[in-house]
Amino acid sequence: MKVPTRPLSLMRHVYQDIMPVVHRELDYWQERAAEIPNEELRNQALASIDDKAFHCEGGSIMALAALQHKDTAIRFIVAYQTISDYLDNLCDRSTSLDPFDFAALHESMKDAITIDAKPQNYYRFRNDQDDGGYLVELMQTCQHALLVVVNYKMIVPYINTLCNHYCELQIHKHVNIEERENRLKKWFTDNKTMLPTMEWYEFSACAGSTLGIFSLVSYALRDDFKSIHAAQIYNGYFPYIQGLHILLDYFIDQEEDKEENDLNFCFYYENENELCSRLIYFLKQADNHTKELPNMKFHQLINRGLLGIYLSEQKVHHQADLKLVAKKLLKEGGGYSQFFYWNGKAYRWIKKKKQKHFKK
């Protein structure tokens, strides 16, 4: 097996080798979520899988870089992304606005990438506590997957940094509305010297992706992985590929975030033209930062795939201003983005048909 570098080859491997394993893993976690004794935790765990399974599907494409170890990579990616989506629901949709609560919950993500970390009571600052061992099992599944990563020590500093960025973001962005912007700005100021020129909300977007962690873990499973690859992958994914990922995610969620009064980093651009030009800039920089990566063309396909997957979402076509920006972005992305765009639309259509069939 080789890392795919062409769109057709990539999608063939995704459908044949990746999706069946992803759905097998998700089916297990859905069954476990349904067993959670506490009603609030159970509802949020099930909702996170029902509504955000595509995060696991998309993230698991990175497992193709692990070659023959892809199943181990998928096991880690699905468990880690499930923690992320579950905690996002707990922070977003619960009554808590306590930063200590959010920090305690996200200790599970830090423990998940630390193979000798012991389980803690991650719910210690909230009333809802009894999850039947769900979060600890997710965390330990990640640890067990990392135990077979032969080059684990080489990636530890990099995955720790990416994880810390992610967890800090989740704490700051979920606090009281009056506090969150100032917290995020101060956090950006504290990190500004290590970043290329960007705005505070763009740094926040760069911190909000798990793709760099998934890429590092997948490559570190390989026998031909070298220490130089760890730095290359980290610098390749952070900040620009991760930033492109999350800005696109926020781009398509603008309407519902306005309704829910949720933080959306795309709201801070002066107008649609500035938003479009910055997204194009992030795309170009994401491509530039693949040049030092192993399997450069694979990572460029990831960039084009991000455009296609997000811009093919139905919610884009319900908003005229988003539709216009999407058209410009797809044009900038070229033929490969168009390929992933139509593939994304077809995949969602087939998935919807299957769901309707099973409901009958």
Side-chain angles (χ1 to χ4, degrees), residues 208-329:
S209 174
T210 46
L211 286 182
I213 292 174
F214 297 162
S215 185
L216 282 161
V217 170
S218 296
Y219 271 99
L221 281 159
R222 290 166 50 165
D223 296 333
D224 61 351
F225 186 81
K226 297 184 175 78
S227 58
I228 191 172
H229 293 149
Q232 289 170 337
I233 293 166
Y234 174 82
N235 291 322
Y237 273 77
F238 184 84
Y240 289 111
I241 296 178
Q242 294 204 162
L244 176 67
H245 172 206
I246 299 304
L247 285 173
L248 286 169
D249 192 41
Y250 278 90
F251 171 73
I252 68 169
D253 284 344
Q254 290 180 80
E255 188 173 49
E256 58 197 72
D257 286 345
K258 281 176 186 173
E259 292 172 1
E260 298 284 348
N261 201 26
D262 286 342
L263 183 72
N264 188 303
F265 301 128
C266 292
F267 293 163
Y268 293 94
Y269 292 105
E270 286 188 16
N271 50 49
E272 296 298 328
N273 286 336
E274 186 188 20
L275 170 58
C276 185
S277 67
R278 289 301 287 173
L279 282 169
I280 290 172
Y281 176 79
F282 266 79
L283 174 63
K284 288 180 177 178
Q285 289 299 318
D287 276 351
N288 286 339
H289 284 74
T290 62
K291 289 177 181 175
E292 300 298 321
L293 292 175
N295 312 115
M296 177 187 77
K297 290 183 179 179
F298 169 71
H299 302 283
Q300 289 182 346
L301 287 180
I302 296 298
N303 297 342
R304 295 301 179 278
L306 287 170
L307 283 184
I309 289 167
Y310 279 103
L311 299 180
S312 62
E313 271 278 353
Q314 191 63 34
K315 62 181 87 173
V316 173
H317 300 274
H318 292 155
Q319 304 166 72
D321 50 348
L322 297 195
K323 196 173 179 181
L324 187 62
V325 174
K327 191 175 180 181
K328 291 178 182 176
L329 289 170

Side-chain angles (χ1 to χ4, degrees), residues 48-264:
S48 72
I49 294 173
D50 288 341
D51 299 338
K52 300 175 182 179
F54 74 96
H55 289 165
C56 291
E57 292 173 341
S60 292
I61 294 173
M62 302 308 305
L64 288 168
L67 301 177
Q68 70 269 27
H69 304 292
K70 62 178 177 52
D71 285 12
T72 301
I74 293 171
R75 191 173 306 116
F76 171 84
I77 290 167
V78 171
Y80 201 73
Q81 188 60 50
T82 299
I83 297 175
S84 169
D85 292 336
Y86 172 51
L87 298 189
D88 192 50
N89 270 31
L90 288 183
C91 297
D92 242 351
R93 303 296 172 224
S94 73
T95 55
S96 174
L97 294 169
D98 181 2
F100 292 104
D101 175 37
F102 303 151
L105 288 171
H106 283 86
E107 284 170 6
S108 62
M109 294 191 75
K110 296 178 181 181
D111 290 348
I113 58 169
T114 308
I115 55 177
D116 57 352
K118 303 299 181 188
Q120 305 179 58
N121 178 11
Y122 303 113
Y123 303 105
R124 60 187 178 272
F125 292 111
R126 57 174 49 216
N127 293 327
D128 298 297
Q129 296 256 337
D130 188 4
D131 74 350
Y134 178 71
L135 186 51
V136 167
E137 187 178 346
L138 281 165
M139 181 272 286
Q140 291 180 329
T141 297
C142 295
Q143 289 181 329
H144 293 156
L146 291 175
L147 282 171
V148 300
V149 176
V150 291
N151 302 295
Y152 170 74
K153 288 183 179 179
M154 293 183 194
I155 64 170
V156 166
Y158 302 102
I159 60 175
N160 281 345
T161 299
L162 291 173
C163 177
N164 286 337
H165 285 333
Y166 180 88
C167 295
E168 285 285 320
L169 170 67
Q170 297 305 313
I171 294 165
H172 296 318
K173 81 168 196 170
H174 286 112
V175 297
N176 192 290
I177 293 173
E178 288 75 26
E179 295 178 42
R180 65 190 183 190
E181 194 172 308
N182 287 334
R183 289 180 69 116
L184 288 166
K185 285 178 178 177
K186 183 185 181 303
W187 178 49
F188 169 65
T189 301
D190 292 342
N191 288 275
K192 198 173 180 179
T193 54
M194 63 165 218
L195 297 167
T197 302
M198 62 176 63
E199 300 295 336
W200 68 266
Y201 42 90
E202 292 174 329
F203 167 60
S204 294
C206 298
S209 174
T210 46
L211 286 182
I213 292 174
F214 297 162
S215 185
L216 282 161
V217 170
S218 296
Y219 271 99
L221 281 159
R222 290 166 50 165
D223 296 333
D224 61 351
F225 186 81
K226 297 184 175 78
S227 58
I228 191 172
H229 293 149
Q232 289 170 337
I233 293 166
Y234 174 82
N235 291 322
Y237 273 77
F238 184 84
Y240 289 111
I241 296 178
Q242 294 204 162
L244 176 67
H245 172 206
I246 299 304
L247 285 173
L248 286 169
D249 192 41
Y250 278 90
F251 171 73
I252 68 169
D253 284 344
Q254 290 180 80
E255 188 173 49
E256 58 197 72
D257 286 345
K258 281 176 186 173
E259 292 172 1
E260 298 284 348
N261 201 26
D262 286 342
L263 183 72
N264 188 303

